[in-house]
Every structure is written in structure tokens, then in C-alpha cells.
Amino acid sequence: MSRLSAACLLFLDCSSVVASTALTFQSLGDLLHVLLKMHSKKQTSVKYYVGIDVGSASVRAALVDEFGTVVAHAEQPIQIWEPQPDHYEQSSADIWAACCTVTKKVVCGIDASQIRGVGFDATCSLVVVDKQFQPLAVNSEGQNYRNVIMWMDHRAVSQVDHINATKHRVLSYVGGVMSVEMQPPKLLWIKENLQESCWEKAGYFFDLPDFLSWKATGVTARSLCTLVCKWTYTSDGGWDDSFWNIIGLEDLVKDKYEKIGNHVLSPGESVGKGLTPEAAKDLGLPEGIAVAASLIDAHAGGLGVIGADVKGHNLPCENQPITSRVAMICGTSSCHMGVSETPIFVPGVWGPYFSAMVPGLWLNEGGQSATGKLIEHVVRGHVAFPELQSKAAARAQSIYTYLNSHLDLIKKSLPVGFLTVDLHVWPDFHGNRSPLTDLTLKGMVVGLTLSRGLDELALIYLATIQAIALGTRHILETMQAAGHHLNTLFLCGGLSKNPLFVQMHADITGKPVVLSKEVESVLVGAAILGACASGDFASIQQDHWCLFLCKGDAALHLSRTAAPREAGTSSAIPSWRPWRKWEKSGESCSLTTSTKGFMTRNMKYF
């Protein structure tokens, strides 16, 4: 920081310095010298926390100060292998190396004694290691470095069907139907397909967030968040032996769940004795600093955004309990997080999970398996994509900024949402997670013409975003029908940076959308964990409500349909009526008909 910058930053301190001292400054230089000295003293007392977020395609880290400000952040891509359709794999070694790279970048130049804690969040992918903690291949090729089955991997279709056919009582806590994206079907797939090469040699099966805390501390403790949300553990009853026996994974019961976790910690609780010497060297951090029990990445985003202070903005959630809010974390996929004081069982929506995100509250989690990935797939797969890429580059814009501008040009006097009155997208290109819970559903587009230009690309891009927002509305209505009282959306994640995505969600759901001033809410959520583990704060609630998020500078995106017409009705959103009829038909036939038959019998609604 330059001396002039420091003087500007400390301008408000100047009057108090002059008023409270008997010193006479002979020059501006003398004054700057004193101010810089004071600023240096302030800096040395600031405490910092590191948040590390492992997403689907990259690892990010942030250095966050005790006031919730992101001081520095960095990003590093990680590799994904797709050896065959619906098989997605990663490398735990590659992921850890990326964690080390980004962490070293964000703490560069910071006094190590000021760094107080580390928190991890990650996708709910499955990591497999042997008894010596060496990676084991989760593939028939025997590539041991590919030892992670990603969350979005859908290889275990027959296994999840077998699990759901049991109708075991634990399924009531996952919306009645287990998802192929959870860990039990993946474990069963490994046992049935890689018995000798992987299952019998495996020493530990980790959720990726728990693998990271083990890598940092050497302690195999698991987070309550991961086990409750993805493994059927319950906070009051623990593991249910009968479930694992009935699905054919009785091996895990016999070893008292050592392979999948028999030491469980609450998110934010300190793990072991902190960073091991080896991990400290890898990360560029001091040995022994606190490491927190982790969170799934969506839950870290929910923690980082759902408690934002919005007083004075005249929102429906103002002066209402946090249970009136939905945190929507939207990136490669989207998650819709709603909390309640008592358990609410929502058909087709995961949960209720106790203390999985906010301590003491029950969590329901709706979701869409492909959102950011779907938008990218649709845009990049269009014949006009090279033209879009070229024109966006010429303006030094992202392709999505250019598309948004192009839609504004072609909409003329109509609201942009009405451009797709004859174009409809069914967005389940990777199955439906919530609330239809049908992984066999496929995506479709109705209303295409022979046009191959940029206009058509912009329209299908818009229709895809609208379809995602309509899916969100369906999830919210299902949650509300079950007993939730939701009135405001709080968005974070990569897609929340797209104004069109945000506005379509406001228009189509009929609810105001709040964006946090701090755009890196997921990283802030991870840092909150580190702050709690450090002992500097009594609990996650104290970190969350009192320090990190109560800044009062939320950016608001309000629905344009709130007035004069009723928000979110079919008169305001031309796609809603056919969409809703299509979804209702899908609820009754999606499990018994092919996609072709499903589309054919519902064409009349368009």
C-alpha cells in the first residue's frame, strides 16, 4: 500500500488524531508518518481465517479477516475424467495439490501469527484410499490416481434402484427416495463391480470434505454435515445397522463403521491438534493452527449467505425468523436450502437433517443436478457459438454478458422474458433431483426453428435460464406445501453473478432475490468454520450472525412482476402454465415411460 493510499484510507482517523493529541504536526509528512504507524499497529492485531472451497472444476481459497472481509482469494482448476457416459472421476492428489497452491497465494505476505484457523468445504464426492491411505482406483482401468467418484456420477443406477426398493425407514430423511448422487449406491457399485481391486483393499471411504480435514490433521473424524446429508447417519440415532445389512453392505457394520466414520464432529468443531507439520508445509501455514470439521460446499454457501442483515430494505423476510429464507447456491448444479425449527418431511426434497448447516435447526435441501453445466452445454453446443465467442472477445466481454446485451437489443418493447413465448426447455438433461426424483428423465427443447444464428442462440440461452427458474419455483412450491413458509431468496455461487439468471428467478418465483455484498459467500462460509475452530468465537452462530454477515449492505434484485400484475402468475410468465402441466404429467408417468413417450403425450400443452 502506498503512503498516499494509506492516508486516504485513514482520512476519517485524521480528525480524531489531531483532536486527541497535543502534538503539532510541522508537515503533511509528519502526519502521514504517525498515521501509517497507527495503521501498522492496527494491522498487526487483525485476525485472519482461511476458507478453502473445492468445487466441481476448481479449488478456491480466501483469506478472510475477523470482520468478514475477503482480503485475498485465488483459484486453481482441477481435472475431471469422464471414461464413459455418466462416469465422472477426479484425483484426491490433484485436489490437495490445488488446495496447497491457492492457500499459499492468499496468505503470501501475511504474518503467520495472525492466521488463526482453516475451514474446508467441498463437493460431496466419494474418495477411496487403502489401509495406508494411498489412493485406490474407482475404475476398471486400474488408474489409482483416479480415486474419486464425483457427486454428479450416475453409474450406480441399478444400485440406487435396489436401495429404494427396500423402502427402509432411513429413506424418509432423503425425501422418500435416495439419489444416485449419494454415497450408499456408490459404495454398493464398488462392491459389485470392483470387489477385488477396490472393495477388499479399501481402508477408508471419505466424503471429499472429510478427506480434506483428514489430510490436514491426520484425524479420520467425519463431519456431521456430510454423514447426515449423504450417508444416512442421524444426529440422534447414529448409524442404522439394519439399513446397511439389507442393502448388502453388512461389511461396514462388522468393522463398527471404521471405514466410513465412527468419530463424528459438528461443523466448525476443531479437529485433532490442528495442522500437522506435513500439511502446514504443503499449505504454507503455521503448524498446529486450528482446522475445522468441514461442510459440503452448498452448505458452506448457505451458511455464508442466509443470515445477511437486510434491515431497512422493506423485504418480506425483515423482522421474520431465518426460516422464512431460502439460500440458493447456484454453480455447476443448484441447491435450495431451507431451515426449520421442527422437522418437515418434503416429498422429493432431501432432509430433514438436524444441525447439518445451521446448528439447532433442521435443513431441507432441494436441488437441480445440472444448472451452470446445462447453460454451458446449451450455449457451447450451438452452431452459432464460434460467432458468439468472437464477438464477445472483440468487446472484451464474457459470452454471457454479450448474450444478455444481445437479448436487450432484440426484445424491442417487450419484457425480455416474453421472447421465448414459443420456445420451451425441459432442463433435466442430467435427471431430476427435486422434486420428481427421477434420474432417468432427459432434457428436451420444444419450439425450434430452422434458424441457426446468434438470435436463436440467445433465445435458447434465455429459455434454458427460464426453465431452471421454473424448476426452482416447483421446488419452492413443494417445500411450502409441506409446511415451509418461504418468502425471500438469497443467492450465491457463480450463476448469481449473472444478472439475467438472478432476474428470471425473481420474476418466475415472484419472490425478491438478495445478493450479498460479499460475492464469495461460499468462501466466507468456509472461513466461518475456521474462525469457530480457532476458539476466537464461541460458536458458528456468533461468527455468523454477529461478525461476518451483519454488514447491512445487501444488493437487492426485486421481481419486476411484483406490480402491477401479480408476481409469478401464469399471466406474468408465459411459460409457467404449460410447464406446470408438463411437470404434473411427469409426476405420474415419468417412472414408467420413456422420454420419447413422455414428450409425445405432453405435446398438447404447447
Side-chain angles (χ1 to χ4, degrees), residues 27-45:
S27 66
L28 179 60
D30 292 340
L31 176 58
L32 286 173
H33 176 74
V34 172
L35 291 175
L36 284 167
K37 197 170 181 179
M38 289 178 60
H39 184 59
S40 176
K41 187 177 290 186
K42 280 185 179 181
Q43 280 193 316
T44 59
S45 64

mmCIF file of all heavy atoms in Angstrom, residues 27-45:
data_model
loop_
_atom_site.group_PDB
_atom_site.id
_atom_site.type_symbol
_atom_site.label_atom_id
_atom_site.label_comp_id
_atom_site.label_asym_id
_atom_site.label_seq_id
_atom_site.Cartn_x
_atom_site.Cartn_y
_atom_site.Cartn_z
ATOM 1 N N SER A 27 4.363 19.144 9.244
ATOM 2 C CA SER A 27 4.175 18.946 7.799
ATOM 3 C C SER A 27 3.220 17.778 7.581
ATOM 4 O O SER A 27 2.936 16.986 8.489
ATOM 5 C CB SER A 27 5.501 18.629 7.115
ATOM 6 O OG SER A 27 5.991 17.357 7.561
ATOM 7 N N LEU A 28 2.725 17.678 6.351
ATOM 8 C CA LEU A 28 1.891 16.535 5.994
ATOM 9 C C LEU A 28 2.681 15.239 6.142
ATOM 10 O O LEU A 28 2.142 14.211 6.541
ATOM 11 C CB LEU A 28 1.403 16.697 4.543
ATOM 12 C CG LEU A 28 0.533 15.550 3.992
ATOM 13 C CD1 LEU A 28 -0.727 15.399 4.834
ATOM 14 C CD2 LEU A 28 0.188 15.809 2.532
ATOM 15 N N GLY A 29 3.987 15.305 5.870
ATOM 16 C CA GLY A 29 4.825 14.119 6.001
ATOM 17 C C GLY A 29 4.829 13.604 7.424
ATOM 18 O O GLY A 29 4.758 12.399 7.664
ATOM 19 N N ASP A 30 4.912 14.503 8.422
ATOM 20 C CA ASP A 30 4.875 14.074 9.818
ATOM 21 C C ASP A 30 3.546 13.398 10.139
ATOM 22 O O ASP A 30 3.491 12.381 10.838
ATOM 23 C CB ASP A 30 5.073 15.285 10.751
ATOM 24 C CG ASP A 30 6.477 15.861 10.663
ATOM 25 O OD1 ASP A 30 7.373 15.133 10.206
ATOM 26 O OD2 ASP A 30 6.642 17.035 11.029
ATOM 27 N N LEU A 31 2.463 13.995 9.627
ATOM 28 C CA LEU A 31 1.140 13.429 9.887
ATOM 29 C C LEU A 31 1.005 12.037 9.273
ATOM 30 O O LEU A 31 0.537 11.099 9.910
ATOM 31 C CB LEU A 31 0.067 14.358 9.312
ATOM 32 C CG LEU A 31 -1.397 13.863 9.415
ATOM 33 C CD1 LEU A 31 -1.762 13.598 10.870
ATOM 34 C CD2 LEU A 31 -2.331 14.884 8.801
ATOM 35 N N LEU A 32 1.460 11.888 8.015
ATOM 36 C CA LEU A 32 1.391 10.595 7.361
ATOM 37 C C LEU A 32 2.208 9.544 8.115
ATOM 38 O O LEU A 32 1.804 8.388 8.240
ATOM 39 C CB LEU A 32 1.890 10.697 5.910
ATOM 40 C CG LEU A 32 0.942 11.372 4.927
ATOM 41 C CD1 LEU A 32 1.637 11.540 3.582
ATOM 42 C CD2 LEU A 32 -0.333 10.561 4.753
ATOM 43 N N HIS A 33 3.363 9.967 8.634
ATOM 44 C CA HIS A 33 4.220 9.048 9.370
ATOM 45 C C HIS A 33 3.482 8.488 10.594
ATOM 46 O O HIS A 33 3.511 7.283 10.865
ATOM 47 C CB HIS A 33 5.505 9.766 9.803
ATOM 48 C CG HIS A 33 6.401 8.903 10.653
ATOM 49 N ND1 HIS A 33 7.134 7.870 10.129
ATOM 50 C CD2 HIS A 33 6.657 8.932 11.992
ATOM 51 C CE1 HIS A 33 7.821 7.282 11.100
ATOM 52 N NE2 HIS A 33 7.538 7.909 12.241
ATOM 53 N N VAL A 34 2.807 9.361 11.329
ATOM 54 C CA VAL A 34 2.074 8.924 12.516
ATOM 55 C C VAL A 34 0.892 8.032 12.128
ATOM 56 O O VAL A 34 0.641 6.992 12.746
ATOM 57 C CB VAL A 34 1.579 10.146 13.324
ATOM 58 C CG1 VAL A 34 0.647 9.704 14.440
ATOM 59 C CG2 VAL A 34 2.768 10.895 13.880
ATOM 60 N N LEU A 35 0.162 8.437 11.059
ATOM 61 C CA LEU A 35 -0.987 7.652 10.640
ATOM 62 C C LEU A 35 -0.586 6.258 10.176
ATOM 63 O O LEU A 35 -1.225 5.264 10.506
ATOM 64 C CB LEU A 35 -1.734 8.371 9.518
ATOM 65 C CG LEU A 35 -2.470 9.660 9.922
ATOM 66 C CD1 LEU A 35 -3.057 10.331 8.689
ATOM 67 C CD2 LEU A 35 -3.560 9.365 10.932
ATOM 68 N N LEU A 36 0.512 6.196 9.428
ATOM 69 C CA LEU A 36 0.989 4.896 8.957
ATOM 70 C C LEU A 36 1.417 4.019 10.125
ATOM 71 O O LEU A 36 1.206 2.809 10.131
ATOM 72 C CB LEU A 36 2.151 5.080 7.975
ATOM 73 C CG LEU A 36 1.743 5.553 6.577
ATOM 74 C CD1 LEU A 36 2.976 6.015 5.808
ATOM 75 C CD2 LEU A 36 1.056 4.424 5.823
ATOM 76 N N LYS A 37 2.010 4.625 11.117
ATOM 77 C CA LYS A 37 2.434 3.886 12.301
ATOM 78 C C LYS A 37 1.203 3.310 13.011
ATOM 79 O O LYS A 37 1.185 2.158 13.453
ATOM 80 C CB LYS A 37 3.218 4.817 13.233
ATOM 81 C CG LYS A 37 4.046 4.081 14.276
ATOM 82 C CD LYS A 37 4.970 5.067 14.975
ATOM 83 C CE LYS A 37 5.836 4.336 16.007
ATOM 84 N NZ LYS A 37 6.747 5.265 16.688
ATOM 85 N N MET A 38 0.152 4.138 13.122
ATOM 86 C CA MET A 38 -1.086 3.669 13.744
ATOM 87 C C MET A 38 -1.729 2.553 12.919
ATOM 88 O O MET A 38 -2.187 1.541 13.456
ATOM 89 C CB MET A 38 -2.084 4.827 13.868
ATOM 90 C CG MET A 38 -1.722 5.878 14.899
ATOM 91 S SD MET A 38 -2.941 7.200 14.880
ATOM 92 C CE MET A 38 -4.412 6.296 15.288
ATOM 93 N N HIS A 39 -1.725 2.719 11.593
ATOM 94 C CA HIS A 39 -2.322 1.719 10.709
ATOM 95 C C HIS A 39 -1.579 0.391 10.830
ATOM 96 O O HIS A 39 -2.180 -0.683 10.884
ATOM 97 C CB HIS A 39 -2.274 2.224 9.258
ATOM 98 C CG HIS A 39 -2.958 1.295 8.287
ATOM 99 N ND1 HIS A 39 -4.283 0.951 8.396
ATOM 100 C CD2 HIS A 39 -2.488 0.643 7.205
ATOM 101 C CE1 HIS A 39 -4.616 0.141 7.420
ATOM 102 N NE2 HIS A 39 -3.536 -0.063 6.680
ATOM 103 N N SER A 40 -0.258 0.455 10.906
ATOM 104 C CA SER A 40 0.551 -0.752 11.055
ATOM 105 C C SER A 40 0.203 -1.468 12.345
ATOM 106 O O SER A 40 0.071 -2.690 12.410
ATOM 107 C CB SER A 40 2.040 -0.398 11.025
ATOM 108 O OG SER A 40 2.818 -1.546 11.253
ATOM 109 N N LYS A 41 0.005 -0.699 13.423
ATOM 110 C CA LYS A 41 -0.338 -1.285 14.716
ATOM 111 C C LYS A 41 -1.702 -1.958 14.626
ATOM 112 O O LYS A 41 -1.935 -3.030 15.179
ATOM 113 C CB LYS A 41 -0.336 -0.197 15.780
ATOM 114 C CG LYS A 41 -0.523 -0.735 17.210
ATOM 115 C CD LYS A 41 -0.438 0.375 18.244
ATOM 116 C CE LYS A 41 0.976 0.901 18.355
ATOM 117 N NZ LYS A 41 1.113 1.894 19.460
ATOM 118 N N LYS A 42 -2.641 -1.318 13.877
ATOM 119 C CA LYS A 42 -3.971 -1.912 13.712
ATOM 120 C C LYS A 42 -3.883 -3.228 12.962
ATOM 121 O O LYS A 42 -4.495 -4.213 13.322
ATOM 122 C CB LYS A 42 -4.888 -0.955 12.931
ATOM 123 C CG LYS A 42 -5.478 0.170 13.767
ATOM 124 C CD LYS A 42 -6.448 0.946 12.919
ATOM 125 C CE LYS A 42 -7.095 2.077 13.698
ATOM 126 N NZ LYS A 42 -8.060 2.812 12.876
ATOM 127 N N GLN A 43 -3.054 -3.233 11.889
ATOM 128 C CA GLN A 43 -2.956 -4.418 11.069
ATOM 129 C C GLN A 43 -2.419 -5.607 11.860
ATOM 130 O O GLN A 43 -2.855 -6.731 11.686
ATOM 131 C CB GLN A 43 -2.054 -4.152 9.855
ATOM 132 C CG GLN A 43 -2.765 -3.400 8.737
ATOM 133 C CD GLN A 43 -1.966 -3.443 7.463
ATOM 134 O OE1 GLN A 43 -0.754 -3.246 7.478
ATOM 135 N NE2 GLN A 43 -2.627 -3.711 6.369
ATOM 136 N N THR A 44 -1.464 -5.380 12.713
ATOM 137 C CA THR A 44 -0.860 -6.482 13.453
ATOM 138 C C THR A 44 -1.847 -7.132 14.403
ATOM 139 O O THR A 44 -1.656 -8.273 14.797
ATOM 140 C CB THR A 44 0.366 -5.999 14.254
ATOM 141 O OG1 THR A 44 -0.036 -4.962 15.160
ATOM 142 C CG2 THR A 44 1.453 -5.479 13.331
ATOM 143 N N SER A 45 -2.902 -6.443 14.767
ATOM 144 C CA SER A 45 -3.870 -7.023 15.701
ATOM 145 C C SER A 45 -5.014 -7.728 15.000
ATOM 146 O O SER A 45 -5.839 -8.367 15.653
ATOM 147 C CB SER A 45 -4.424 -5.926 16.612
ATOM 148 O OG SER A 45 -5.153 -4.972 15.852
#
